[in-house]
Amino acid sequence: MKALVYHGTGKKRWEEKALPQLLESTDAIVRIVKTTICGTDLHILKGDVPTVEEGRILGHEGIGIVEAVGGAVRNVEVGDKVIISCITVCGSCNSCKRQLYSHCEDGGWILGHKIDGTQAEKVRIPHADSSLHRLPEGIDEEAALMLSDILPTGFEIGVINGKVQPGDTIALIGAGPVGLAALLTSQFYSPAHIIMIDVDDNRLHMAQQFGANTIINPTRQNVVEEIQKLTKGMGVDVAIECVGIPATFKICQDIITAGGHIANVGVHGKSVELHLDELWIKNITITTGLVNTNSTPMLLKSIQSNKISPEKLVTHRYPLSEIETAYEIFGNAAQEKALKIVLTAE
Ligand SMILES: [Zn+2]
Ligand SMILES: [Zn+2]
């Protein structure tokens, strides 16, 4: 089969690889129907994730058809269409018993990281019973693909951790795919005012279409002043950080109101300054995390009942065999006006 293989920093190739085999009785083999590229894949290619070995097939998002299952698999059958969760869940270790699936002792984020991933014609999925979600008839495949990673990530680590409440004023910093996923899912809780902050006007424009009431571009506007004006000097109830750099984390600390929540979603490559000297007296809560994907079944129902339409995040489409071109487009996301790129197997 063909797969996108990592060959060390800056190097990847669409090349021939051996077909995956069932290794454990709890495994499934899934034929990929659609997959996509994540910002994390770009981090890997930059060399930011040294736990990824050369020769690894990248990718942790996808939907596909189950082609084979091990003898112990009960929840999915050959022929089922499934969502592949970016988090592999054994369902029985200490972390899984606490629903902390991202820290599953025999799983967590391993796809396209510690084991071969989904940017391939076929993939082996360990612990198939809890790591695959059967896709009901009639659900848009592109919408479902957003459930592998970005939608649960924006929802769980941004919206739920940030404790968005009806009537809140919330600020989202970063209008990339995950920031926009947080924007879409924050609206389950009817915040009164949603502010989106980003340096990319095209993404800000999309955020407006997705429900942002106010957009702020820090290259032209003073974010703190604008938010002070909007909130009559109070600040926002929830600040959701979806970039992962010191400057954006500082914005969150500067705009949060007393009793507010700062939910960090962005992946930070270096340390940030934490102004506890100012925050302690304001009763601020700061949360962090890696997605657990325990919201995936609920999000699937929300798509089914047309409450959210995450397929709107898809901007580009290519055949799977043109994945190298898709990486180039995704790597120049601002110029190309790219959010999520869907790759479909021929
Ligand atoms: Zn991802
Ligand atoms: Zn586990």
Side-chain angles (χ1 to χ4, degrees), residues 318-338:
Y318 289 95
L320 182 55
S321 57
E322 290 175 33
I323 190 166
E324 287 177 297
T325 309
Y327 261 90
E328 272 174 46
I329 302 287
F330 193 61
N332 291 310
Q335 295 93 307
E336 302 289 347
K337 299 186 187 325

Side-chain angles (χ1 to χ4, degrees), residues 88-97 101 103-107:
T88 299
V89 178
C90 85
S92 57
C93 72
N94 282 319
S95 295
C96 284
K97 281 178 181 157
Y101 303 136
H103 294 272
C104 171
E105 288 160 28
D106 195 35

Side-chain angles (χ1 to χ4, degrees), residues 223-251:
V223 176
V224 178
E225 275 174 22
E226 291 295 325
I227 287 183
Q228 292 302 331
K229 242 188 283 171
L230 267 169
T231 59
K232 302 192 168 60
M234 295 296 287
V236 300
D237 300 294
V238 182
I240 300 177
E241 203 285 343
C242 300
V243 182
I245 57 171
T248 47
F249 191 72
K250 181 173 189 307
I251 289 176

Side-chain angles (χ1 to χ4, degrees), residues 87-137:
I87 299 293
T88 299
V89 178
C90 85
S92 57
C93 72
N94 282 319
S95 295
C96 284
K97 281 178 181 157
R98 294 191 291 148
Q99 286 215 343
L100 199 60
Y101 303 136
S102 52
H103 294 272
C104 171
E105 288 160 28
D106 195 35
W109 174 43
I110 54 174
L111 278 179
H113 177 203
K114 292 175 179 162
I115 65 170
D116 285 337
T118 57
Q119 289 168 5
E121 290 176 331
K122 294 183 189 189
V123 60
R124 178 181 75 94
I125 302 297
H127 300 296
D129 274 342
S130 6
S131 310
L132 296 174
H133 300 267
R134 257 213 312 253
L135 197 54
E137 284 288 312

Side-chain angles (χ1 to χ4, degrees), residues 106-182:
D106 195 35
W109 174 43
I110 54 174
L111 278 179
H113 177 203
K114 292 175 179 162
I115 65 170
D116 285 337
T118 57
Q119 289 168 5
E121 290 176 331
K122 294 183 189 189
V123 60
R124 178 181 75 94
I125 302 297
H127 300 296
D129 274 342
S130 6
S131 310
L132 296 174
H133 300 267
R134 257 213 312 253
L135 197 54
E137 284 288 312
I139 297 233
D140 184 275
E141 286 182 353
E142 293 184 349
L145 181 59
M146 302 301 119
L147 288 181
S148 280
D149 178 356
I150 62 164
L151 219 62
T153 296
F155 181 54
E156 293 174 20
I157 309 304
V159 176
I160 295 185
N161 280 359
K163 290 202 162 52
V164 176
Q165 301 287 319
D168 274 356
T169 295
I170 72 170
L172 298 142
I173 299 92
V178 172
L180 291 171

Side-chain angles (χ1 to χ4, degrees), residues 36-41 59-61 86 109 148-150 153 178 291 340:
T36 178
I37 308 169
C38 180
T40 308
D41 298 320
H60 52 263
E61 297 165 84
C86 65
W109 174 43
S148 280
D149 178 356
I150 62 164
T153 296
V178 172
V291 65
K340 284 303 262 186

